[in-house]
Amino acid sequence: MSSSEPEPGGDSAAADDAVEAFARHLRSERGRSEHTQRAYLGDVRSLLGFATERGVTGLADLQLADLRSWLAHLSESGAARSTVARRAAAARAFLQWATRTGRIATDPSLRLAAPKRSRSLPAVLKPTEATDLLDVAAVASDDDDPIHLRDRAALELLYASAVRVGELVGLDIDDVDLAAGTVRVLGKGAKERVVPFGDPARRALQDWLDRGRPQLVTPESGPALLLGRRGRRADPRQVRSAVHALLSHVQDAPDLGPHGLRHSAATHLLEGGADLRTVQEMLGHASLATTQIYTHVSVDRLRRSYEQAHPRA
């Protein structure tokens, strides 16, 4: 190694440089979403900050004991098992990359174990509650307020296609094929998929495009499908507020956000007879194991219905 090159895992400045380089790696080579990048970088900085407080001066000084103490500290501070598991995964990804790029000689995370993520069942709407929610959105849009028309279109498409809210607000007009009843979605890892939707969503989208969007469009709107009051692309917060507000009018329904509509759509598809592979493709899950949680939701609902209805339950 030449004298101009830093020693592997040198001081804190070298660690900061490594974090920035890791950020570029996540962005350009791994194609991670901005949300994932922020989460991973926040986790790595949490680890390095904790290690510094323990007297660790550089990446090369990180030991397995430091990693285990960090995870233990997170657990003792009340972090959920899923949070601890994600932070451990981020630390492993960072340290594996640091080893591969020569920033440290050995990877201290090789024997790092983290708690398995708890597979809690997501709350979902009943099919009747989903229908009631979309009826409320339709009634609200009768006043021709462009935001109400947008909200109806957003909710119909969320439930019909089970897209993520980030995918929804990222849609452009050309991504929607009303004639075919399909939408082209750019999902996690920049993977593209085409998802179908039905007639109610088609009608809501047509109303939005014909009567709502023209009222809001400005030169700054670009090709964005969904717009905010000022004509810019709608953001997830606006859609989330709409879901909560409209759902508050559905009696006894759980208070869910946009992701709850995605969970509900997946569950109702499986309960209606769709096969797991089809639902996996529709949701954009890389692994079938991720989709299988919805089979547990369906079985759990079946069990509750059985216990309420069967005389010998």
Side-chain angles (χ1 to χ4, degrees), residues 19 22-27 30-45 86-87 89-91 93-94 117 164 187-190:
V19 172
F22 182 58
R24 292 192 294 273
H25 164 72
L26 291 175
R27 183 169 54 250
R30 299 290 296 277
R32 299 296 189 182
S33 69
E34 289 187 13
H35 175 77
T36 300
Q37 290 175 44
R38 286 195 301 269
Y40 267 41
L41 295 177
D43 295 340
V44 170
R45 291 189 176 107
R86 190 205 71 206
R87 292 201 166 193
F94 172 66
R117 295 175 184 266
R164 302 174 179 91
K188 290 186 175 181

Side-chain angles (χ1 to χ4, degrees), residues 123 217 224 249 286 289:
V217 69
H249 297 286

Side-chain angles (χ1 to χ4, degrees), residues 33-108:
S33 69
E34 289 187 13
H35 175 77
T36 300
Q37 290 175 44
R38 286 195 301 269
Y40 267 41
L41 295 177
D43 295 340
V44 170
R45 291 189 176 107
S46 169
L47 167 62
L48 296 179
F50 178 84
T52 298
E53 291 178 358
R54 287 169 57 91
V56 176
T57 58
L59 291 181
D61 296 326
L62 264 179
Q63 302 293 322
L64 178 61
D66 299 315
L67 300 178
R68 287 174 172 167
S69 294
W70 173 58
L71 296 183
H73 171 73
L74 292 173
S75 296
E76 291 166 2
S77 299
R81 284 201 303 169
S82 59
T83 300
V84 177
R86 190 205 71 206
R87 292 201 166 193
R92 277 194 291 266
F94 172 66
L95 292 169
Q96 288 168 5
W97 168 84
T99 306
R100 189 169 63 251
T101 56
R103 286 170 170 81
I104 56 177
T106 57
D107 181 358

Side-chain angles (χ1 to χ4, degrees), residues 14-291:
D16 291 340
D17 290 343
V19 172
E20 293 303 318
F22 182 58
R24 292 192 294 273
H25 164 72
L26 291 175
R27 183 169 54 250
S28 61
E29 296 180 36
R30 299 290 296 277
R32 299 296 189 182
S33 69
E34 289 187 13
H35 175 77
T36 300
Q37 290 175 44
R38 286 195 301 269
Y40 267 41
L41 295 177
D43 295 340
V44 170
R45 291 189 176 107
S46 169
L47 167 62
L48 296 179
F50 178 84
T52 298
E53 291 178 358
R54 287 169 57 91
V56 176
T57 58
L59 291 181
D61 296 326
L62 264 179
Q63 302 293 322
L64 178 61
D66 299 315
L67 300 178
R68 287 174 172 167
S69 294
W70 173 58
L71 296 183
H73 171 73
L74 292 173
S75 296
E76 291 166 2
S77 299
R81 284 201 303 169
S82 59
T83 300
V84 177
R86 190 205 71 206
R87 292 201 166 193
R92 277 194 291 266
F94 172 66
L95 292 169
Q96 288 168 5
W97 168 84
T99 306
R100 189 169 63 251
T101 56
R103 286 170 170 81
I104 56 177
T106 57
D107 181 358
S109 72
L110 289 175
R111 292 188 292 118
L112 180 65
K116 293 184 178 178
R117 295 175 184 266
S118 57
R119 302 292 288 181
S120 57
L121 300 179
V124 295
L125 299 175
K126 298 174 183 176
T128 53
E129 292 170 341
T131 298
D132 289 346
L133 170 64
L134 296 171
D135 285 346
V136 168
V139 171
S141 70
D142 284 343
D143 62 2
D144 279 349
D145 184 313
I147 294 300
H148 294 163
L149 289 164
R150 180 206 68 189
D151 292 344
R152 178 192 173 202
L155 266 66
E156 284 281 7
L157 194 54
L158 277 171
Y159 180 64
S161 62
V163 295
R164 302 174 179 91
V165 66
E167 296 169 343
L168 175 77
V169 298
L171 293 174
D172 291 336
I173 293 176
D174 289 345
D175 291 325
V176 178
D177 187 335
L178 289 174
T182 59
V183 58
R184 184 175 64 245
V185 181
L186 189 64
K188 290 186 175 181
K191 292 182 179 178
E192 188 177 284
R193 67 187 191 279
V194 176
V195 184
F197 57 81
D199 285 338
R202 181 188 288 110
R203 290 192 295 271
L205 284 165
Q206 190 72 68
D207 282 347
W208 157 246
L209 291 171
D210 289 346
R211 300 189 289 124
R213 193 177 186 277
Q215 296 186 59
L216 300 177
V217 69
T218 71
E220 296 181 355
S221 301
L225 175 65
L226 301 178
L227 304 177
R229 185 72 74 180
R230 297 182 179 179
R232 301 188 187 95
R233 184 182 294 273
D235 63 42
R237 177 185 52 80
Q238 293 167 336
V239 177
R240 192 170 294 111
S241 295
V243 174
H244 286 299
L246 292 167
L247 199 51
S248 69
H249 297 286
V250 179
Q251 188 174 7
D252 298 328
D255 183 24
L256 305 178
H259 215 64
L261 291 185
R262 175 175 162 87
H263 290 320
S264 300
T267 302
H268 299 165
L269 279 166
L270 287 169
E271 290 178 342
D275 66 272
L276 200 59
R277 288 285 183 187
T278 298
V279 177
Q280 177 194 5
E281 183 176 348
M282 190 168 173
L283 294 175
H285 286 160
S287 168
L288 191 63
T290 308
T291 315

